[in-house]
Amino acid sequence: EIVLGIDNIIFISIVSDRLPREKQRAARNVGLTLALVVRLILLTVVAWIMGMTKPLFYIFEIPFSGQSIVLLAGGLFLMYKSVTEMHESVIGEQSETKMKGKITLQTVITQIVLIDIVFSFDSIISAIGMTNGLAKDTGGNPMIIIYIAVISSMIIMLLFAKQISDFINNRPTIKMIALGFLVTIGVILVAEAFGQHIPKGYIYFAMVYSLAVEFLNIRMRKNREKKESSDGSK
């Protein structure tokens, strides 16, 4: 649940950065709390969610279910939002200052709720798949374990949301990597809507690898600055 929540918290961190600094914490806390509420509500209607996999119509012999429509809409929204944020980051600070004056807390929270719903589907379906064997082996109720996992993961993300948000938004290159990651997640959601399953492990590995390379770059730049400072003082 924590791993599946990474894309959610990255999205919340980047979107909330458009707000004035005094409102960013409120946006993060409200966003993650709403994510928890959405997941808990969807868990109460889990049978209905699993039933949304039945095809509603076909386009070029590709079946589309209720779940496919949610994934398609969410993927397109995530791609649009991430590419827009990339564009604003490339334009520079002047445009960013103007955007902060236009964006409101309500707008950010609305965007967070929309993407929370999409990520919640993925999170719940994965959790149900992981606990199916437990129900057969023990005869117990796996839903209790899912509730505990969802609530625990959200508490952990609430505790570290500020640190993650500050780390991403204070480093332009890390922020661009995170936005690229969100675009990729959006592409995967669209692909899944068309019945193409792509293991997310590959995407998470690629992101970790990219971050590791960037950490080396950050370290290299710091060492270079120290050396230049040292040479200058001599």
Side-chain angles (χ1 to χ4, degrees), residues 4-28:
L4 290 174
I6 289 173
D7 40 18
N8 197 356
I9 198 168
I10 288 174
F11 180 83
I12 291 173
S13 299
I14 291 173
V15 173
S16 62
D17 185 52
R18 291 298 186 187
L19 290 168
R21 186 166 292 276
E22 64 272 12
K23 293 183 179 180
Q24 291 178 11
R25 182 176 180 181
R28 288 192 299 267

Side-chain angles (χ1 to χ4, degrees), residues 73-119:
L76 291 174
F77 173 73
L78 190 59
M79 290 166 61
Y80 165 76
K81 190 63 187 173
S82 301
V83 171
T84 302
E85 291 291 333
M86 280 183 172
H87 176 68
E88 291 297 331
S89 296
V90 170
I91 287 176
E93 281 187 21
Q94 186 175 3
S95 176
E96 186 175 336
T97 304
K98 292 179 181 178
M99 288 295 293
K100 282 192 177 184
K102 294 179 182 178
I103 292 180
T104 63
L105 182 62
Q106 290 80 0
T107 303
V108 170
I109 290 175
T110 301
Q111 294 176 0
I112 290 171
V113 170
L114 290 174
I115 213 65
D116 276 347
I117 293 172
V118 179
F119 287 150

